[in-house]
């Protein structure tokens, strides 16, 4: 099979030998910012575990509802860490539907996600208002400095810090241990008062038994990729919020969080029960 034009001109640093979680997620959402290695992985995953695509789309629709909700609460600054590839409505696009003065910083350590985000912002001619950083959530201090230096976000004013479907991707530290919890704890400290922390995370907790088994098998597929995953139980996910004040209804399945904020043209995603969405989600405010 000949290499596609996109793959011949892959951004520097792109690993085309292993599937990448951001690019595979783009494939699940119906995007095109992925490579052959990602599509082979994605096709195999969806053939075995068809629940993955609707779960990914429900997660993205949760993001849309959160952005609408927070805009109505007066938030105008969004930091989308692990933002992935701009597919199925990006954060700034949803915010711009509600207000005209929102700013967004996208952050990812995957070169394809960064490259495509930059192209999107340039095409829309909004680089004065939104930007993208090639950075790593495991380095909160350095990342926060980059955000401040971007000039797009005033880090002294309230922000919405979005960690959407990123913390279940293993974040190995120098010794191989997962440093996601420590990084999030530091972000909570760095966030100014009045800010919001938004998290979604895959879980096998309280899901149907058949789905729990599928989640275990699905996770093993990622063990062989460049980006292994970990499905945490509810209490460990909720611990990411520390002592912040949870927004009602607290942590819940993605389809259940403020459904009234669903967009008029949003696709309908049906589950037999909300826990089949397999993604636990919540929003909390820093008082």
């Amino acid at each position: 099979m000949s290499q596609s034009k996109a793959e011949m001109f892959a951004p520097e640093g792109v690993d085309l030998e292993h599937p990448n979680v951001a690019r595979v997620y783009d494939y699940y959402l119906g995007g095109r910012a992925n490579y052959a290695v990602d599509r082979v992985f994605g096709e195999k995953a969806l053939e075995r575990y068809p629940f993955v695509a609707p779960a990914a789309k429900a997660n993205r629709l949760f993001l849309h509802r959160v952005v609408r909700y927070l805009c109505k609460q007066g938030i105008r600054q969004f930091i989308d860490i692990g933002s992935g590839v701009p597919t199925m409505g990006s954060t700034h696009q949803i915010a711009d539907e509600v207000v005209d003065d929102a700013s967004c910083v996208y952050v990812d350590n995957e070169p394809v996600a960064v490259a495509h985000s930059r192209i999107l912002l340039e095409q829309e001619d909004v680089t004065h208002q939104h930007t993208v950083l090639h950075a790593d959530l495991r380095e909160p201090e350095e990342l926060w400095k980059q955000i401040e230096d971007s000039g797009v976000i005033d880090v002294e004013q309230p922000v919405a810090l979005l960690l959407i479907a990123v913390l279940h991707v293993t974040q190995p530290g120098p010794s191989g241990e997962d440093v996601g919890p420590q990084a999030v704890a530091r972000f909570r400290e760095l966030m100014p008062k009045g800010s919001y922390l938004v998290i979604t995370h895959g879980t096998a907790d309280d899901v149907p038994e058949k789905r729990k088994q599928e989640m275990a098998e699905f996770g093993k597929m990622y063990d062989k990729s460049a980006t292994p995953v970990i499905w945490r139980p509810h209490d460990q996910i909720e611990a990411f919020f520390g002592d912040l004040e949870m927004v009602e209804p607290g942590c819940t399945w993605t389809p259940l969080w403020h459904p009234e904020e669903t967009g008029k043209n949003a696709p309908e995603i049906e589950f037999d029960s909300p826990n089949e969405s397999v993604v636990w989600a919540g929003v909390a405010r820093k008082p």
Side-chain angles (χ1 to χ4, degrees):
M1 183 184 296
S2 62
Q3 202 175 28
S4 74
K5 194 171 185 179
E7 287 167 70
M8 286 193 289
F9 295 98
E12 183 179 354
V14 172
D15 178 4
L16 297 183
E17 298 298 320
H18 303 90
N20 175 272
V21 67
R23 303 191 312 252
V24 173
Y25 187 71
D26 171 71
Y27 176 81
Y28 295 151
L29 292 174
R32 298 181 179 180
N34 45 69
Y35 297 93
V37 65
D38 308 306
R39 293 189 288 274
V40 169
F41 182 97
E43 287 169 5
K44 187 179 296 185
L46 293 181
E47 181 179 347
R48 296 179 182 175
Y49 315 112
F51 76 89
V52 171
K57 292 174 182 177
N59 181 71
R60 180 54 63 99
L61 292 179
F62 165 84
L63 168 65
H64 294 179
R65 297 198 303 276
V66 162
V67 172
R68 292 189 189 97
Y69 176 90
L70 292 179
C71 282
K72 294 175 182 178
Q73 306 310 307
I75 293 295
R76 295 294 182 270
Q77 301 191 121
F78 294 86
I79 301 171
D80 192 341
I81 300 179
S83 53
V85 178
T87 301
M88 196 180 160
S90 299
T91 298
H92 78 279
Q93 293 172 327
I94 303 303
D96 289 346
E97 293 176 2
V98 184
V99 297
D100 58 10
D101 58 345
S103 297
C104 181
V105 171
Y106 293 103
V107 180
D108 211 290
N109 67 351
E110 212 293 313
V112 171
V114 173
H116 279 267
S117 296
R118 284 178 177 156
I119 290 170
L120 174 68
L121 296 180
E122 289 169 1
Q123 288 177 338
E124 296 181 4
D125 193 24
V126 292
T127 52
H128 62 289
Q129 198 168 353
H130 315 294
T131 193
V132 57
L133 303 177
H134 189 189
D136 199 312
L137 73 82
R138 293 171 293 183
E139 301 170 342
E141 303 285 351
E142 182 177 334
L143 173 52
W144 208 255
K145 183 65 165 58
Q146 286 183 258
I147 292 170
E148 183 177 15
D149 290 345
S150 73
V152 170
I153 297 288
D154 180 354
V155 295
E156 301 298 323
Q157 298 299 317
V159 301
L161 185 68
L162 312 175
L163 293 164
I164 304 296
V166 64
L167 293 171
H168 57 230
V169 180
T170 304
Q171 305 294 327
S175 302
E177 76 286 8
D178 187 273
V179 297
Q182 297 97 301
V184 177
R186 183 58 183 140
F187 283 125
R188 291 198 306 266
E189 295 173 348
L190 291 167
M191 290 163 47
K193 292 181 179 180
S195 295
Y196 290 82
L197 177 62
V198 182
I199 293 173
T200 70
H201 194 299
T203 183
D205 220 6
D206 294 335
V207 303
E209 197 58 39
K210 180 176 182 292
R211 188 58 44 84
K212 184 175 295 188
Q213 181 61 38
E214 290 174 334
M215 292 278 292
E217 295 171 1
F218 180 55
K220 288 179 182 177
M221 288 185 67
Y222 277 93
D223 288 343
K224 302 173 184 178
S225 75
T227 44
V229 297
I230 176 172
W231 312 128
R232 288 182 172 89
H234 292 173
D235 60 344
Q236 291 184 18
I237 298 171
E238 292 165 13
F240 281 115
F241 292 103
D243 59 358
L244 302 186
E245 298 176 348
M246 296 302 301
V247 172
E248 291 294 334
C251 285
T252 187
W253 302 108
T254 48
L256 299 180
W257 198 90
H258 287 272
E260 75 279 3
E261 296 295 347
T262 302
K264 291 184 293 185
N265 298 318
E268 290 189 19
I269 302 171
E270 295 185 2
F271 298 100
D272 290 338
S273 58
N275 60 353
E276 290 195 347
S277 63
V278 304
V279 178
W280 200 237
V283 179
R285 182 179 183 274
K286 184 172 182 177

